[in-house]
Amino acid sequence: MDSLFGNRRPISLKAMSDFSSLEPPVRKHLKNVYTCLTLSILTAAAGSLFSLTLFQAFQHAWYLRLSLFLASIASLVFVLAIAFTKDNGKNRMTRLGYLLGAASCTGYVLGEALYYTIQLNPSIIFTALTGTSLIFLSFTLSSLFAERRTFLYVSSLLMSLVTLSLMTVITNLFMRSYFLYQAQIYLGLVIMCLFVIYDTQLIVDRCRNGEKDYISHSVMLFFDFVGIFRRLLQILSHMVSVSFLAERISSRRIMILELFLKLDRVELSLHA
């Protein structure tokens, strides 16, 4: 086997966690970025839990729909506040508050989808969250270990895929195709995974050029994480609903066959 594949080294966790190729200022910056990212994900989870509690208590209330719309607007306002409030070293706590505000509003908007997912199968949420974490971690590590110029090729591919996705969305507005809808979800998942690679390398490159705004950098990664989670939630929910419908159809077929068998027995008894 060695003659076929050469001397293959076993996978080492120490090698995977070795970021010595990154300069100390870059490592420190990434530590700040991922700390803010972790805080924003936890805040979004709290917002989702609050929204989920409201949906369980007031499922059909009209003001819940209004609150989702207002939360979406508030999330956009917080992101714009981060973009237009430049980091001067003294306003970082204020900008961190904007980040956590955007995260909580984004999590609140996700509450509706989580509520309906729980009605279908509660384990979908845990599966989607685990899958999102693994995908995000894998693409982050691959981006950090990749060569510096790689993201230039990813950016051109990303622009092509985003254009294709927009064309698919516009086309489906008129065609109302189920298959195009599914293609949008899977294509969106691929795009968000590539955005993790692109944004991670872009953060490293900007840090090397002197940009230390770790809060705005964590915003990019946060929405990458949320985008992957949303699409995995849609894919898994669809798979469970299709299997549930298939089970219902098969069980009804069995009931119909049993009914025909009973009718045959009744007919035989009448002839006898």
Side-chain angles (χ1 to χ4, degrees), residues 57-240:
F58 313 103
Q59 178 183 357
H60 301 291
W62 62 270
Y63 47 81
L64 279 182
R65 307 289 178 181
L66 178 61
S67 67
L68 293 177
F69 174 74
L70 293 177
S72 301
I73 298 298
S75 178
L76 179 61
V77 170
F78 280 125
V79 172
L80 290 176
I82 295 173
F84 287 104
T85 307
K86 298 301 180 183
D87 181 25
N88 58 12
K90 299 179 181 179
N91 58 354
R92 286 176 179 172
M93 293 306 296
T94 302
R95 299 178 80 246
L96 179 61
Y98 293 154
L99 171 62
L100 298 182
S104 61
C105 292
T106 303
Y108 183 86
V109 174
L110 281 173
E112 182 183 17
L114 296 179
Y115 172 77
Y116 290 112
T117 302
I118 288 175
Q119 305 303 312
L120 189 61
N121 190 341
S123 65
I124 294 175
I125 297 176
F126 177 76
T127 306
L129 185 59
T130 305
T132 302
S133 302
L134 291 175
I135 290 172
F136 189 88
L137 179 62
S138 301
F139 281 92
T140 299
L141 291 176
S142 65
S143 178
L144 290 175
F145 284 116
E147 295 181 8
R148 184 177 176 181
R149 62 179 182 275
T150 307
F151 79 93
L152 296 175
Y153 302 105
V154 175
S155 63
S156 59
L157 177 61
L158 262 176
M159 292 304 103
S160 301
L161 290 177
V162 169
T163 304
L164 178 62
S165 180
L166 289 174
M167 291 175 60
T168 306
V169 171
I170 294 172
T171 304
N172 206 30
L173 288 175
F174 302 98
M175 295 183 61
R176 301 288 181 180
S177 170
Y178 169 78
F179 296 103
L180 278 180
Y181 172 72
Q182 290 298 309
Q184 290 173 29
I185 297 175
Y186 284 96
L187 183 59
L189 180 60
V190 172
I191 289 173
M192 296 313 300
C193 291
L194 291 176
F195 261 118
V196 174
I197 296 177
Y198 177 76
D199 288 339
T200 303
Q201 288 205 343
L202 190 63
I203 289 169
V204 173
D205 193 64
R206 286 180 176 178
C207 180
R208 283 170 174 161
N209 290 329
E211 185 178 329
K212 306 295 184 180
D213 187 6
Y214 56 83
I215 292 177
S216 63
H217 292 170
S218 61
V219 170
M220 298 189 293
L221 296 179
F222 171 72
F223 283 104
D224 292 343
F225 189 92
V226 172
I228 294 173
F229 177 72
R230 274 179 171 164
R231 283 155 183 84
L232 278 182
L233 203 65
Q234 287 179 295
I235 292 170
L236 293 173
S237 299
H238 176 260
M239 292 172 63
V240 170

Side-chain angles (χ1 to χ4, degrees), residues 18-33:
D18 182 19
F19 298 106
S20 57
S21 59
L22 299 173
E23 301 85 350
V26 176
R27 292 202 296 269
K28 181 180 178 181
H29 180 72
L30 289 176
K31 181 181 177 181
N32 292 331
V33 169

Side-chain angles (χ1 to χ4, degrees), residues 244-260:
F244 177 74
L245 288 174
E247 289 177 2
R248 288 285 299 272
I249 292 171
S250 61
S251 62
R252 289 196 175 189
R253 285 177 179 174
I254 291 172
M255 290 174 62
I256 292 171
L257 287 174
E258 289 178 349
L259 180 61
F260 276 120

